């Protein structure tokens, strides 16, 4: 009977209750959204690379090596000699290796030089291998494989020719126009930096750089009048070449997809880093120690899982600040509910007195007002959860494409349900404040009309 009475009393105050419900629902939505983004961002961050036992690069900081080789953030100070890579990958226990060469870009997207082992052994998430949405892996130095985001944002298709630029970022002062690459494959989306990367053979990197250097030398040694004439001719040729790059040639598409495998390494002398996988975890620490003590050049070997946890620990303070801000929003909404209940309490003194006159005891009045507070809080949480899932649907694709955070559309976790329980408990305690005041109202005070 008290619950039914609380429901009808709540419906009698639609305007104030609706505003309180909206504030609680929005605060619950924000709390759950921040918590879900925090957990899924941490999971996506940790799952950027998996199945890799060691990342090896020139000696620098652990986090710097991880950011440059896996997340394409920052630059490696030095390179690794190819002879060192060949020596280390031949060590006992090494099951596979993936060379990585960075330093070029295409319209702001990183270009990664590697070999066919990248598509065979690179893993992300829960040891998931890379798969192709269209096409196949590169076969020769004239082919390139695009990440899902690169192909989607730039509108590229199989068989289209593109030009790589020297240097990282959106601005580049040298384009490898004399070595256009044909798109042979487009990877399926992974929610990792792989989606924003163009993958080319190491031999393509070596060919573009050696051609660029020799071309520059020839330009310096030419007579001035010859250089001017050749520059005009080359400028016209580049315009025609750029038009050719921007179109899809069906015959070129068939030719390249059926092309025979070629040399993917070339005469590579240096790489940025390389990944190692071992036959047994027992080899990891031993080989890591040998690499860190390598005498021919200063190298650093890191375990990506450990370094990822260290990096996330540095962001722990940001997590806590976001959580505190959201909890403050929830508290403010509950205080708004308290203000609303206290404001209407004085107007309801006649109503409460009538209830007392028909036999309601003081604890009935107390229970009634607490039940109203619980009802408002529970409804606010329900609407907040509904808004939270609506927000997940709306923001899921955008967060994955822009930030690489894959939000899980799953039932509320035990921790999230605990947060909701805490909110309902806090709403109950706040509702007890006006209920306690009503408890001590006297029947005469309620029936007396004040002027």
């Amino acid at each position: 009977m008290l619950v039914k009475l609380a429901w009808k009393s709540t419906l009698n105050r639609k305007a104030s209750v609706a505003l309180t419900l909206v504030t609680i629902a929005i605060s619950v939505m924000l709390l759950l959204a921040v918590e879900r983004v925090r957990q899924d961002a941490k999971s996506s961050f940790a799952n950027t690379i998996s199945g890799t036992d060691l990342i090896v690069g020139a000696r620098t900081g652990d986090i710097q090596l991880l950011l440059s080789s896996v997340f394409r953030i920052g630059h490696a100070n030095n390179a690794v000699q190819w002879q060192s890579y060949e020596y280390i990958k031949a060590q006992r226990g090494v099951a596979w290796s993936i060379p990585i060469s960075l330093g070029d870009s295409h319209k702001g997207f990183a270009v990664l030089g590697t070999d066919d082992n990248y598509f065979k052994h690179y893993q992300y998430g829960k040891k998931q291998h890379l798969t192709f949405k269209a096409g196949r892996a590169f076969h020769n130095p004239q082919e390139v494989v695009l990440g899902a985001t690169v192909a989607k944002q730039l509108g590229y298709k199989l068989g289209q020719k593109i030009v790589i630029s020297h240097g990282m970022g959106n601005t580049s002062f040298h384009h490898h126009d004399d070595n256009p690459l044909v798109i042979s494959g487009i990877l399926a989306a992974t929610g990792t930096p792989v989606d924003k990367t163009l993958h080319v053979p190491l031999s393509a990197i070596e060919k573009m750089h050696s051609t660029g250097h020799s071309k520059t030398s020839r330009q310096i040694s030419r007579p001035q009048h010859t250089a001017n004439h050749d520059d005009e001719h080359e400028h016209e040729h580049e315009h025609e070449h750029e038009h050719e790059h921007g179109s899809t040639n069906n015959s070129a598409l068939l030719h390249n997809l059926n092309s025979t495998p070629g040399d993917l390494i070339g005469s590579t002398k240096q790489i940025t880093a390389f990944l190692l996988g071992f036959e047994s975890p027992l080899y990891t620490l031993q080989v890591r120690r040998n690499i860190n003590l390598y005498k021919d050049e200063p190298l650093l070997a890191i375990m990506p899982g450990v370094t990822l946890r260290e990096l996330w620990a540095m962001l722990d303070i940001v997590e806590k600040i976001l959580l505190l801000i959201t909890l403050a929003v929830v508290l403010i909404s509950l205080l708004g509910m308290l203000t609303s209940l206290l404001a209407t309490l004085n107007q309801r003194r006649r109503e409460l007195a009538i209830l007392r006159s028909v036999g309601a005891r003081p604890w009935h009045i107390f229970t009634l007002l607490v039940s109203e507070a619980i009802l408002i809080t529970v409804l606010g949480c329900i609407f907040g959860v509904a808004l939270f899932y609506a927000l997940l649907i709306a923001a899921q694709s955008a967060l994955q494409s822009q930030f690489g955070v894959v939000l899980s559309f799953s039932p509320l976790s035990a921790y999230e349900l605990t947060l909701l329980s805490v909110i309902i408990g806090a709403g109950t305690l706040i509702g007890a404040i006006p209920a306690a005041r009503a408890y001590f109202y006297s029947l005469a005070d309620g029936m007396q009309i004040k002027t």
Side-chain angles (χ1 to χ4, degrees), residues 160-222:
Q160 191 168 350
K161 291 184 178 181
I162 62 173
V163 173
I164 304 302
S165 303
H166 184 66
M168 303 293 288
N170 291 307
T171 303
S172 180
F173 297 99
H174 179 71
H175 304 285
H176 301 293
D177 297 301
D178 46 354
N179 286 288
L181 302 177
V182 178
I183 300 172
S184 67
I186 298 174
L187 293 171
T190 63
T192 70
V194 173
D195 297 343
K196 300 181 179 181
T197 305
L198 294 86
H199 309 84
V200 301
L202 287 171
S203 54
I205 298 288
E206 186 271 333
K207 181 180 179 182
M208 285 186 290
H209 289 175
S210 62
T211 305
H213 294 322
S214 61
K215 180 179 177 181
T216 304
S217 300
R218 290 195 304 269
Q219 287 177 343
I220 294 175
S221 60
R222 288 181 300 176

Coordinates of all heavy atoms in Angstrom, one line a residue, residues 160-222:
Q160 N 44.7 1.0 -57.4 CA 45.0 2.4 -57.5 C 46.5 2.7 -57.1 O 47.0 2.1 -56.2 CB 44.1 3.2 -56.5 CG 44.1 4.7 -56.7 CD 43.0 5.4 -56.0 OE1 42.1 4.7 -55.5 NE2 43.0 6.7 -55.9
K161 N 47.1 3.6 -57.8 CA 48.5 4.0 -57.5 C 48.6 5.2 -56.6 O 47.8 6.1 -56.7 CB 49.2 4.3 -58.9 CG 49.4 3.1 -59.8 CD 50.2 3.5 -61.0 CE 50.4 2.3 -61.9 NZ 51.2 2.7 -63.1
I162 N 49.5 5.1 -55.6 CA 49.7 6.2 -54.7 C 51.2 6.5 -54.6 O 52.1 5.7 -55.0 CB 49.2 5.8 -53.3 CG1 49.9 4.6 -52.7 CG2 47.7 5.6 -53.4 CD1 49.5 4.3 -51.3
V163 N 51.5 7.6 -54.1 CA 52.9 8.1 -53.9 C 53.2 8.3 -52.4 O 52.5 8.9 -51.7 CB 53.2 9.4 -54.7 CG1 54.5 9.9 -54.4 CG2 53.0 9.1 -56.2
I164 N 54.3 7.7 -52.0 CA 54.8 7.8 -50.6 C 55.6 9.1 -50.5 O 56.4 9.5 -51.4 CB 55.6 6.6 -50.2 CG1 54.8 5.3 -50.4 CG2 56.0 6.7 -48.8 CD1 53.5 5.3 -49.6
S165 N 55.6 9.7 -49.3 CA 56.3 10.9 -49.0 C 57.4 10.7 -47.9 O 57.2 9.8 -47.1 CB 55.4 12.1 -48.6 OG 54.4 12.3 -49.5
H166 N 58.5 11.4 -48.0 CA 59.5 11.2 -47.0 C 59.2 12.0 -45.8 O 58.8 13.2 -45.9 CB 60.9 11.6 -47.6 CG 62.0 11.4 -46.6 ND1 62.4 10.1 -46.2 CD2 62.8 12.3 -46.0 CE1 63.4 10.2 -45.4 NE2 63.7 11.5 -45.2
G167 N 59.4 11.4 -44.6 CA 59.1 12.2 -43.4 C 57.7 11.8 -42.9 O 56.8 11.4 -43.6
M168 N 57.5 12.1 -41.5 CA 56.3 11.8 -40.9 C 55.4 13.0 -40.8 O 55.9 14.1 -40.8 CB 56.5 11.2 -39.4 CG 57.4 10.0 -39.4 SD 56.7 8.6 -40.1 CE 55.5 8.2 -38.9
G169 N 54.1 12.8 -40.6 CA 53.2 13.9 -40.5 C 52.5 14.3 -41.8 O 52.7 13.7 -42.8
N170 N 51.7 15.4 -41.7 CA 51.0 15.9 -42.8 C 51.8 16.7 -43.8 O 51.4 16.9 -45.0 CB 49.8 16.8 -42.3 CG 48.7 15.9 -41.6 OD1 48.3 14.9 -42.1 ND2 48.4 16.3 -40.4
T171 N 52.9 17.2 -43.4 CA 53.7 18.1 -44.2 C 55.0 17.4 -44.6 O 55.7 16.8 -43.8 CB 54.1 19.4 -43.5 OG1 52.9 20.1 -43.1 CG2 54.9 20.3 -44.4
S172 N 55.3 17.3 -45.9 CA 56.5 16.6 -46.4 C 57.0 17.5 -47.6 O 56.2 18.0 -48.4 CB 56.2 15.2 -46.9 OG 57.3 14.6 -47.4
F173 N 58.3 17.5 -47.7 CA 58.9 18.4 -48.7 C 59.5 17.5 -49.8 O 60.1 18.0 -50.7 CB 60.0 19.3 -48.1 CG 59.4 20.2 -47.1 CD1 59.5 20.0 -45.7 CD2 58.8 21.4 -47.5 CE1 59.0 20.9 -44.8 CE2 58.3 22.3 -46.6 CZ 58.4 22.0 -45.2
H174 N 59.4 16.2 -49.7 CA 59.9 15.3 -50.8 C 59.0 14.2 -51.0 O 58.6 13.4 -50.0 CB 61.3 14.8 -50.4 CG 61.9 13.9 -51.5 ND1 62.3 14.4 -52.7 CD2 62.0 12.5 -51.5 CE1 62.7 13.3 -53.4 NE2 62.6 12.2 -52.7
H175 N 58.5 14.0 -52.2 CA 57.6 12.9 -52.6 C 58.3 11.9 -53.5 O 59.0 12.4 -54.4 CB 56.3 13.5 -53.3 CG 55.6 14.5 -52.5 ND1 54.8 14.2 -51.4 CD2 55.5 15.8 -52.6 CE1 54.3 15.3 -50.8 NE2 54.7 16.3 -51.6
H176 N 58.1 10.7 -53.3 CA 58.8 9.7 -54.1 C 57.9 9.4 -55.4 O 57.4 8.3 -55.6 CB 58.9 8.4 -53.3 CG 59.8 8.5 -52.1 ND1 61.1 8.8 -52.1 CD2 59.4 8.5 -50.8 CE1 61.6 8.9 -50.9 NE2 60.6 8.7 -50.0
D177 N 57.8 10.4 -56.2 CA 56.9 10.4 -57.4 C 57.5 9.4 -58.4 O 56.7 8.8 -59.2 CB 56.8 11.7 -58.1 CG 56.2 12.8 -57.2 OD1 55.0 12.5 -56.8 OD2 56.8 13.8 -56.9
D178 N 58.8 9.1 -58.4 CA 59.3 8.2 -59.4 C 59.1 6.7 -59.0 O 59.5 5.8 -59.7 CB 60.8 8.5 -59.6 CG 61.6 8.6 -58.3 OD1 60.9 8.6 -57.2 OD2 62.8 8.8 -58.3
N179 N 58.5 6.5 -57.8 CA 58.3 5.1 -57.4 C 56.8 5.0 -56.9 O 56.6 4.8 -55.7 CB 59.3 4.7 -56.2 CG 60.7 4.4 -56.8 OD1 60.9 3.4 -57.4 ND2 61.6 5.4 -56.5
P180 N 55.9 5.1 -57.7 CA 54.5 4.9 -57.3 C 54.2 3.5 -56.9 O 54.8 2.5 -57.5 CB 53.7 5.3 -58.5 CG 54.6 5.1 -59.7 CD 56.0 5.4 -59.2
L181 N 53.3 3.3 -56.0 CA 53.0 1.9 -55.5 C 51.5 1.6 -55.8 O 50.7 2.5 -55.7 CB 53.2 1.8 -54.0 CG 54.7 2.1 -53.5 CD1 54.7 2.1 -52.0 CD2 55.7 1.2 -54.2
V182 N 51.3 0.4 -56.1 CA 49.9 -0.1 -56.5 C 49.3 -0.8 -55.3 O 50.0 -1.6 -54.6 CB 49.9 -1.0 -57.7 CG1 48.5 -1.5 -58.0 CG2 50.5 -0.3 -58.9
I183 N 48.1 -0.5 -54.9 CA 47.4 -1.1 -53.8 C 47.1 -2.5 -54.1 O 46.3 -2.8 -55.0 CB 46.2 -0.3 -53.4 CG1 46.5 1.2 -53.0 CG2 45.4 -0.9 -52.2 CD1 45.3 2.1 -52.8
S184 N 47.7 -3.4 -53.4 CA 47.4 -4.9 -53.6 C 46.4 -5.4 -52.6 O 45.9 -6.5 -52.8 CB 48.7 -5.7 -53.6 OG 49.3 -5.7 -52.3
G185 N 46.3 -4.8 -51.4 CA 45.4 -5.3 -50.4 C 44.9 -4.3 -49.4 O 45.6 -3.2 -49.2
I186 N 43.8 -4.5 -48.8 CA 43.3 -3.6 -47.7 C 42.9 -4.5 -46.6 O 42.2 -5.5 -46.7 CB 42.0 -2.9 -48.2 CG1 42.3 -2.0 -49.4 CG2 41.4 -2.1 -47.1 CD1 41.1 -1.3 -50.0
L187 N 43.5 -4.2 -45.4 CA 43.3 -5.0 -44.2 C 42.0 -4.8 -43.6 O 41.4 -3.7 -43.7 CB 44.4 -4.7 -43.2 CG 45.8 -5.2 -43.6 CD1 46.8 -4.6 -42.6 CD2 45.9 -6.7 -43.7
A188 N 41.4 -5.8 -42.9 CA 40.2 -5.6 -42.1 C 40.5 -4.8 -40.9 O 41.6 -4.7 -40.4 CB 39.6 -7.0 -41.7
A189 N 39.5 -4.1 -40.4 CA 39.7 -3.2 -39.2 C 40.1 -4.0 -38.0 O 39.6 -5.1 -37.8 CB 38.4 -2.4 -39.0
T190 N 41.0 -3.4 -37.2 CA 41.5 -4.0 -36.0 C 41.3 -3.2 -34.8 O 41.4 -3.7 -33.7 CB 43.0 -4.3 -36.1 OG1 43.7 -3.1 -36.3 CG2 43.3 -5.2 -37.4
G191 N 41.0 -1.9 -35.0 CA 40.9 -1.0 -33.8 C 42.3 -0.6 -33.2 O 42.4 -0.2 -32.1
T192 N 43.3 -0.8 -34.0 CA 44.7 -0.6 -33.5 C 45.4 0.4 -34.5 O 44.8 0.7 -35.6 CB 45.5 -1.9 -33.4 OG1 45.7 -2.4 -34.7 CG2 44.7 -3.0 -32.6
P193 N 46.6 0.8 -34.2 CA 47.3 1.7 -35.2 C 47.6 1.0 -36.5 O 47.9 1.7 -37.5 CB 48.7 1.9 -34.5 CG 48.4 1.8 -33.0 CD 47.3 0.8 -32.9
V194 N 47.4 -0.3 -36.7 CA 47.5 -0.9 -38.0 C 46.5 -0.4 -39.0 O 46.8 -0.2 -40.2 CB 47.3 -2.5 -37.8 CG1 47.2 -3.2 -39.2 CG2 48.4 -3.1 -37.0
D195 N 45.4 0.1 -38.5 CA 44.3 0.6 -39.4 C 44.8 1.9 -40.0 O 44.3 2.3 -41.1 CB 43.0 0.9 -38.6 CG 42.4 -0.4 -38.0 OD1 42.8 -1.5 -38.5 OD2 41.6 -0.3 -37.1
K196 N 45.7 2.6 -39.4 CA 46.1 3.9 -39.9 C 47.5 3.9 -40.5 O 48.3 4.8 -40.4 CB 46.1 5.0 -38.7 CG 44.7 5.2 -38.2 CD 44.7 6.2 -37.1 CE 43.3 6.5 -36.5 NZ 43.3 7.5 -35.5
T197 N 47.9 2.7 -41.0 CA 49.2 2.5 -41.5 C 49.2 1.9 -42.9 O 48.3 1.2 -43.2 CB 50.0 1.5 -40.6 OG1 50.0 2.0 -39.2 CG2 51.4 1.3 -41.0
L198 N 50.2 2.4 -43.7 CA 50.4 1.8 -45.0 C 51.6 0.9 -44.9 O 52.6 1.2 -44.4 CB 50.7 2.9 -46.1 CG 49.5 3.9 -46.4 CD1 49.5 5.0 -45.4 CD2 49.6 4.4 -47.8
H199 N 51.5 -0.3 -45.4 CA 52.5 -1.4 -45.3 C 53.2 -1.6 -46.7 O 52.5 -1.9 -47.6 CB 51.9 -2.7 -44.8 CG 51.1 -2.5 -43.5 ND1 49.8 -2.1 -43.5 CD2 51.5 -2.6 -42.2 CE1 49.3 -2.0 -42.3 NE2 50.3 -2.3 -41.5
V200 N 54.5 -1.5 -46.7 CA 55.2 -1.7 -48.0 C 56.4 -2.6 -47.7 O 56.8 -2.8 -46.5 CB 55.7 -0.3 -48.5 CG1 54.6 0.6 -48.8 CG2 56.7 0.3 -47.6
P201 N 56.9 -3.3 -48.7 CA 58.1 -4.1 -48.5 C 59.3 -3.2 -48.1 O 59.4 -2.1 -48.5 CB 58.3 -4.8 -49.9 CG 57.0 -4.6 -50.6 CD 56.4 -3.4 -50.1
L202 N 60.3 -3.9 -47.4 CA 61.5 -3.2 -47.1 C 62.3 -2.8 -48.3 O 62.9 -1.7 -48.4 CB 62.4 -4.1 -46.2 CG 61.9 -4.3 -44.8 CD1 62.8 -5.4 -44.1 CD2 62.0 -3.0 -44.0
S203 N 62.2 -3.6 -49.4 CA 62.9 -3.3 -50.6 C 62.3 -2.0 -51.3 O 63.0 -1.3 -51.9 CB 62.8 -4.4 -51.6 OG 61.4 -4.8 -51.8
A204 N 61.0 -1.8 -51.1 CA 60.4 -0.5 -51.6 C 61.0 0.7 -50.9 O 61.2 1.7 -51.5 CB 58.9 -0.6 -51.5
I205 N 61.1 0.6 -49.6 CA 61.7 1.7 -48.8 C 63.1 2.0 -49.3 O 63.5 3.1 -49.5 CB 61.7 1.4 -47.3 CG1 60.3 1.2 -46.8 CG2 62.5 2.4 -46.5 CD1 59.5 2.5 -46.6
E206 N 63.9 0.9 -49.4 CA 65.3 1.1 -49.9 C 65.4 1.6 -51.3 O 66.2 2.5 -51.6 CB 66.0 -0.3 -49.8 CG 67.5 -0.3 -50.1 CD 67.7 -0.5 -51.5 OE1 66.9 -1.1 -52.2 OE2 68.8 0.0 -52.0
K207 N 64.5 1.2 -52.1 CA 64.5 1.6 -53.5 C 64.1 3.1 -53.6 O 64.7 3.9 -54.4 CB 63.5 0.8 -54.3 CG 63.5 1.2 -55.8 CD 62.5 0.3 -56.6 CE 62.4 0.6 -58.0 NZ 61.5 -0.2 -58.8
M208 N 63.1 3.5 -52.9 CA 62.6 4.9 -52.9 C 63.7 5.9 -52.4 O 64.0 6.9 -53.0 CB 61.4 5.1 -52.1 CG 60.1 4.5 -52.8 SD 58.6 4.9 -51.9 CE 58.8 3.9 -50.5
H209 N 64.4 5.5 -51.3 CA 65.4 6.4 -50.8 C 66.6 6.4 -51.6 O 67.3 7.5 -51.8 CB 65.7 5.9 -49.4 CG 64.6 6.2 -48.4 ND1 64.6 5.7 -47.1 CD2 63.4 6.8 -48.5 CE1 63.5 6.1 -46.5 NE2 62.8 6.8 -47.3
S210 N 67.1 5.3 -52.2 CA 68.3 5.3 -53.0 C 68.0 6.0 -54.3 O 68.9 6.8 -54.8 CB 68.7 3.9 -53.3 OG 67.7 3.2 -54.0
T211 N 66.8 5.9 -54.9 CA 66.5 6.6 -56.1 C 66.4 8.1 -55.8 O 66.8 8.9 -56.6 CB 65.1 6.1 -56.7 OG1 65.2 4.7 -56.9 CG2 64.8 6.8 -58.0
G212 N 65.8 8.5 -54.7 CA 65.7 9.9 -54.3 C 67.0 10.5 -54.2 O 67.3 11.7 -54.6
H213 N 68.0 9.8 -53.5 CA 69.3 10.4 -53.3 C 70.1 10.6 -54.6 O 70.7 11.6 -54.8 CB 70.1 9.5 -52.3 CG 69.5 9.5 -51.0 ND1 69.0 10.6 -50.4 CD2 69.4 8.5 -50.1 CE1 68.6 10.3 -49.1 NE2 68.8 9.0 -48.9
S214 N 70.0 9.5 -55.5 CA 70.7 9.6 -56.8 C 70.1 10.7 -57.6 O 70.8 11.4 -58.4 CB 70.7 8.3 -57.5 OG 69.3 7.9 -57.8
K215 N 68.8 10.9 -57.6 CA 68.1 11.9 -58.4 C 68.6 13.3 -57.9 O 68.8 14.2 -58.7 CB 66.6 11.8 -58.2 CG 65.8 12.8 -59.0 CD 64.3 12.5 -58.9 CE 63.5 13.6 -59.6 NZ 62.1 13.4 -59.4
T216 N 68.7 13.5 -56.6 CA 69.1 14.8 -56.1 C 70.6 15.1 -56.5 O 70.9 16.2 -56.9 CB 69.1 14.8 -54.5 OG1 67.7 14.4 -54.2 CG2 69.4 16.1 -54.0
S217 N 71.4 14.0 -56.5 CA 72.8 14.2 -56.9 C 72.9 14.6 -58.4 O 73.7 15.5 -58.8 CB 73.6 12.9 -56.7 OG 73.6 12.6 -55.3
R218 N 72.1 14.0 -59.2 CA 72.1 14.4 -60.7 C 71.7 15.8 -60.9 O 72.2 16.5 -61.7 CB 71.2 13.4 -61.4 CG 71.8 12.0 -61.5 CD 71.0 11.2 -62.6 NE 69.6 11.2 -62.4 CZ 69.0 10.2 -61.7 NH1 69.7 9.3 -61.1 NH2 67.7 10.3 -61.6
Q219 N 70.7 16.2 -60.1 CA 70.2 17.6 -60.3 C 71.2 18.6 -59.9 O 71.4 19.7 -60.5 CB 68.9 17.8 -59.4 CG 67.7 17.1 -60.0 CD 66.5 17.2 -59.1 OE1 66.7 17.6 -57.9 NE2 65.3 16.9 -59.6
I220 N 72.1 18.3 -58.9 CA 73.1 19.2 -58.4 C 74.2 19.3 -59.5 O 74.7 20.4 -59.7 CB 73.7 18.8 -57.1 CG1 72.6 18.9 -56.0 CG2 74.9 19.6 -56.7 CD1 73.0 18.3 -54.7
S221 N 74.5 18.2 -60.2 CA 75.6 18.2 -61.1 C 75.3 18.7 -62.5 O 76.2 18.9 -63.3 CB 76.2 16.8 -61.2 OG 75.2 15.9 -61.7
R222 N 74.0 18.9 -62.8 CA 73.6 19.3 -64.1 C 73.9 20.8 -64.4 O 73.8 21.6 -63.4 CB 72.1 19.1 -64.4 CG 71.8 17.6 -64.6 CD 70.3 17.4 -64.8 NE 69.5 18.0 -63.7 CZ 68.2 18.0 -63.7 NH1 67.5 17.6 -64.7 NH2 67.6 18.5 -62.7

